[in-house]
Amino acid sequence: MSNLGKKLLKQGALLVPMAAFLSGCGLDASDDSSITEAQSPGTVEPTAQVAGAAIKGVIQQGVVTANRLLEDKSGYYLPDRLAAKPVRTADDGSYELRLRGKADGWALVELRADGSTRMVCDVVPSCDQVGGGQVEFGQTLELSSDFVLRGAGDLVTETVHLTPLTHLAVTLAERSDEGLSPAALAGAYQTVEAWFGLSVGALSLVPPDLTRLDELEAVSADALQVAITNAAFLALVNDNDQWQSISDVLNNMSAQVVASGRLDITGDGTSLALADIVAASAAQASELQLVTESSIIDQKLVIVEYRNVQRFKTIADVYSGSDDGDTSVADTTEPPTTEPAPEPAIPADAALLSWTAPLTRENGVSLSMGEIAGFEVVYGKSADALDQSIAIGDASVDELLVDDLSEGTWYFAMRTLDTDGNRSSLSEMVSKQI
């Protein structure tokens, strides 16, 4: 990477997860006496590990258990009656438990709150708590006893994170004629991601602790967007007499999904709406910029705010086939297509590039994410001389904010690098007038 490329990265060039393309060559928690912080193997019986994090804010000392999802004779999937021994989440929200049997199939994971459970307030500037009073950003608050989060995942390949969004996805999957089948769950996860304008697979990302962003070495805008969307559920409680707790908000939205398989778009005055969450997410992304010192994180928060503003503008189309939530990946053999994103919330001296690409090489051979080493964006003030570059050593990037551009027309293109050192041809060139 050139010195100029490094300089631009320091000035706030933004890296975000993506799919890439290359040319080339019944969950019951018992009392504390049966809850453990970790599971000791101590047996030759095969077991499957289930691990993840419970994040809304970070949920500490939540009671987590899991059940395998088994198919009955009619093809309907239900949780196994034999549950894993409950464990408590750690101070960072993480948990780890084990299920008897081999590491195959899917599992349903559930967290419940009790008197020992606390949640970190991740809403700026503060969170309203049950019974009155406020808790400042970064401090902990109690959760009501009816607070529940669920998530599900493949025991072979996935960790299972527990958030309000995964809870809605499990609730949606339960409406399937097959019950909580792998297909129903995978489809429900993608549907919820599309509702909120999240990238495919975003609910499998580890949501960062929004109260400690300046301590993070690296975090993607996709992961930030997931965390901020989850935070928005609690933000709706603030200054709203209708909703007394995060449980009230989550229960209202879950009831909508149970009844219709959807969330109200703009609401009816008595129920929460998808637009409420998206608007609160944009507001929280903006508020977080005021309390974050890292210029890199700040740039990514700008992107998250921009995404939610754009999602709000297109919220009426969320359930149509042409809405912006359609995150399917096209099957093409062309190089990655780059395009300048629309202007709102982007600094005047910057260009926001975004790209999508299929998981195939130019010769049509499939390409796995594990084969991708990173990307290179090249740009300049002449279409014939793209003499500046930014290297991206992350295979999960689909947006880049290039700032500190002087007046004039700037031209951009990109290429993909694989782990063997092969490079794709340059994508189609795009330009922006500064």
Side-chain angles (χ1 to χ4, degrees):
M1 176 178 174
S2 67
N3 290 332
L4 180 54
K6 294 178 180 177
K7 179 181 178 182
L8 284 172
L9 284 175
K10 291 180 180 179
Q11 291 171 337
L14 175 62
L15 310 183
V16 191
M18 72 168 277
F21 168 72
L22 179 70
S23 127
C25 348
L27 308 177
D28 295 321
S30 55
D31 60 31
D32 275 357
S33 63
S34 65
I35 300 173
T36 61
E37 295 290 347
Q39 298 291 326
S40 175
T43 177
V44 295
E45 183 180 8
T47 59
Q49 177 177 295
V50 185
I55 306 287
K56 207 262 18 96
V58 171
I59 298 175
Q60 303 171 341
Q61 296 300 304
V63 181
V64 183
T65 191
N67 296 62
R68 287 181 180 273
L69 293 170
L70 303 179
E71 183 181 13
D72 65 16
K73 294 181 180 179
S74 67
Y76 195 85
Y77 284 78
L78 288 167
D80 186 10
R81 296 178 62 183
L82 182 62
K85 187 176 181 180
V87 299
R88 286 194 181 274
T89 55
D91 287 346
D92 63 356
S94 63
Y95 74 90
E96 180 179 326
L97 50 73
R98 290 186 176 275
L99 280 169
R100 293 180 181 178
K102 297 180 179 179
D104 56 13
W106 283 57
L108 177 68
V109 184
E110 181 179 276
L111 175 143
R112 289 186 176 272
D114 64 11
S116 299
T117 307
R118 297 291 184 271
M119 180 174 68
V120 177
C121 171
D122 59 352
V123 174
V124 181
S126 62
C127 300
D128 289 353
Q129 61 180 344
V130 179
Q134 292 186 326
V135 174
E136 292 185 0
F137 179 70
Q139 302 302 308
T140 60
L141 65 153
E142 296 181 6
L143 289 169
S144 58
S145 59
D146 62 342
F147 180 81
V148 179
L149 288 180
R150 296 185 296 169
D154 186 336
L155 292 173
V156 177
T157 61
E158 295 185 19
T159 53
V160 181
H161 302 303
L162 305 171
T163 70
L165 295 177
T166 66
H167 187 84
L168 291 181
V170 171
T171 303
L172 178 61
E174 286 177 323
R175 301 182 80 255
S176 166
D177 292 337
E178 301 174 351
L180 293 176
S181 69
L185 284 164
Y189 266 59
Q190 289 190 18
T191 296
V192 171
E193 288 165 348
W195 286 351
F196 294 94
L198 303 170
S199 63
V200 174
L203 296 189
S204 296
L205 299 174
V206 181
D209 181 354
L210 295 177
T211 68
R212 305 179 68 176
L213 292 180
D214 286 323
E215 301 175 24
L216 300 179
E217 294 183 359
V219 62
S220 70
D222 278 5
L224 278 175
Q225 187 177 0
V226 172
I228 290 171
T229 303
N230 287 314
F233 284 76
L234 183 56
L236 293 178
V237 177
N238 289 355
D239 301 319
N240 190 328
D241 294 336
Q242 186 175 2
W243 315 111
Q244 300 300 312
S245 69
I246 178 65
S247 295
D248 289 347
V249 172
L250 195 54
N251 290 341
N252 179 273
M253 303 195 88
S254 296
Q256 294 179 44
V257 173
V258 169
S260 65
R262 294 181 172 186
L263 297 175
D264 289 345
I265 294 178
T266 55
D268 55 9
T270 59
S271 294
L272 286 162
L274 180 61
D276 296 329
I277 294 289
V278 174
S281 298
Q284 279 302 300
S286 178
E287 293 287 346
L288 283 166
Q289 293 169 46
L290 303 178
V291 298
T292 302
E293 296 181 0
S294 167
S295 61
I296 300 298
I297 297 296
D298 188 72
Q299 292 279 358
K300 296 180 182 182
L301 291 171
V302 169
I303 297 298
V304 175
E305 180 184 2
Y306 163 78
R307 289 178 178 177
N308 281 289
V309 169
Q310 292 302 109
R311 191 56 174 159
F312 187 84
K313 291 179 178 180
T314 60
I315 202 75
D317 298 325
V318 67
Y319 298 126
S320 71
S322 60
D323 72 291
D324 289 342
D326 183 1
T327 50
S328 60
V329 178
D331 183 12
T332 175
T333 57
E334 294 300 317
T337 301
T338 59
E339 56 186 31
E343 299 295 331
I346 303 303
D349 66 345
L352 176 62
L353 304 176
S354 63
W355 56 90
T356 57
L359 297 177
T360 57
R361 299 175 184 268
E362 284 184 352
N363 60 6
V365 175
S366 64
L367 175 71
S368 70
M369 290 296 291
E371 296 176 276
I372 300 170
F375 311 94
E376 181 185 23
V377 172
V378 293
Y379 60 103
K381 298 194 74 172
S382 170
D384 298 323
L386 303 179
D387 54 2
Q388 302 185 43
S389 67
I390 297 177
I392 304 169
D394 187 342
S396 61
V397 174
D398 67 354
E399 287 182 333
L400 178 70
L401 185 69
V402 183
D403 61 359
D404 200 23
L405 300 174
S406 60
E407 291 185 3
T409 301
W410 287 83
Y411 300 87
F412 304 85
M414 67 164 293
R415 61 167 55 94
T416 308
L417 314 175
D418 77 355
T419 53
D420 293 326
N422 298 316
R423 306 200 311 169
S424 72
S425 56
L426 284 175
S427 67
E428 179 183 354
M429 190 177 302
V430 295
S431 63
K432 180 179 180 180
Q433 179 72 34
I434 300 296

